[in-house]
Amino acid sequence: MTRLRLGVNIDHVATIRNARGGSYPDPMRAAELAMAAGADGITAHLREDRRHISDADIEALAVITRKRGRPLNFEMAVTAEMEAIALAHVPHAACLVPERREERTTEGGLDVAGGHNAIAPVVRRLVEAGIRVSCFIDADPVQAQASKDIGAQVIELHTGAYCDAVRERTGEADRLLANLRNTAAEAGRLGLEVHAGHGIDYETVKPIAAIPELAELNIGHFLIGEAIFVGLVPAIQRMRALMDQARANSEAELAQRISR
């Protein structure tokens, strides 16, 4: 297994900034600190209602990530407005997500299979511009296949249901983790790169990070919240260490099974 990358989502630094309507705390400073702390890239979701990240933030992030040689992962709804913004800035990656104005956060994966005709042309234009396209989906092999069919190079698995089940002790965690593993394995067979994100914290990261097909985790809300107590750099460094430990343990277990 290759090293698992960590993308840090800085949306909620902007949420805090916007609560007072000023310029502090600055999401650009958070991005710089995240990269210095070991983040392999920066993720930001420009929502249609601009509740956190702004257009100016995306413009600034595009500049500083290029300067630092790190990828910008631009999360976006499948709309003409967001497509135009992505094509204007040409981020390293665009992650297509579902979006509803009334939701507090992204509540599920994109229905790529059901929205094929609307999503496929957007994917084609983004790919033609040199943007790596990811579809944020629930753990469902049908959605992984649909993502492949429309030309996406990457899927990102929605881990929120699994993380909620772990925290709430509902008894569903094992089944949901198995779904994540099975979908990741199927996506790998299809030749898709596999990412995961949403709701991941210190308690849930290791079982997810151990999934061998995963190439990247995108984590935001928890890290920004933890930073209030310990600082952003230590919060990211601990997450990075847990990811690396999970990968090392998984590789050791695989080696033991092969040697038997």
Side-chain angles (χ1 to χ4, degrees):
M1 285 182 282
T2 58
R3 179 179 181 273
L4 184 60
R5 300 190 301 268
L6 172 60
V8 173
N9 186 315
I10 61 165
D11 288 355
H12 295 299
V13 176
T15 300
I16 299 169
R17 175 196 64 191
N18 296 352
R20 292 289 294 267
S23 60
Y24 184 84
D26 182 5
M28 300 317 109
R29 184 179 177 191
E32 293 276 15
L33 283 171
M35 290 185 284
D40 298 288
I42 299 298
T43 294
H45 183 180
L46 183 65
R47 295 186 70 106
E48 292 181 90
D49 61 10
R50 309 305 199 268
R51 68 177 64 171
H52 37 59
I53 293 294
S54 69
D55 298 69
D57 292 332
I58 294 299
E59 184 173 355
L61 285 169
V63 172
I64 67 168
T65 52
R66 285 195 185 98
K67 183 179 179 181
R68 296 286 183 262
R70 305 288 177 87
L72 172 61
N73 179 32
F74 177 52
E75 291 186 341
M76 55 176 276
V78 186
T79 67
E81 179 194 25
M82 292 302 153
E83 179 186 342
I85 292 169
L87 293 174
H89 294 294
V90 193
H92 170 79
C95 183
L96 306 183
V97 302
E99 190 172 313
R100 295 187 302 116
R101 294 290 180 92
E102 64 272 20
E103 69 187 359
R104 291 185 181 179
T105 185
T106 306
E107 295 173 347
L110 185 67
D111 182 7
V112 183
H116 177 281
N117 292 343
I119 301 169
V122 176
V123 172
R124 184 185 70 252
R125 290 188 289 267
L126 294 174
V127 170
E128 287 173 351
I131 300 170
R132 192 164 174 80
V133 177
S134 172
C135 291
F136 185 72
I137 63 170
D138 290 326
D140 181 351
V142 171
Q143 297 295 342
Q145 180 66 62
S147 300
K148 173 73 172 180
D149 292 343
I150 65 169
Q153 302 106 317
V154 183
I155 61 163
E156 181 166 336
L157 297 175
H158 186 301
T159 53
Y162 166 70
C163 293
D164 287 344
V166 170
R167 284 187 287 269
E168 296 166 9
R169 307 293 190 264
T170 64
E172 289 291 293
D174 288 347
R175 179 184 66 81
L176 292 167
L177 182 60
N179 288 347
L180 291 167
R181 287 174 175 157
N182 292 339
T183 305
E186 178 59 23
R189 285 191 289 269
L190 292 171
L192 292 165
E193 185 170 299
V194 187
H195 301 176
H198 201 82
I200 298 172
D201 60 14
Y202 294 150
E203 182 179 12
T204 56
V205 67
K206 292 177 79 172
I208 295 169
I211 298 172
E213 291 81 10
L214 288 184
E216 180 174 302
L217 299 184
N218 285 298
I219 307 174
H221 183 269
F222 174 78
L223 289 174
I224 302 307
E226 187 69 5
I228 294 171
F229 304 104
V230 303
L232 186 58
V233 169
I236 292 171
Q237 289 175 335
R238 183 179 176 196
M239 186 66 76
R240 173 77 266 168
L242 291 170
M243 290 166 57
D244 292 343
Q245 184 180 15
R247 274 295 164 97
N249 291 344
S250 182
E251 290 177 351
E253 290 172 7
L254 178 62
Q256 281 186 335
R257 287 198 298 268
I258 292 172
S259 66
R260 287 172 185 166

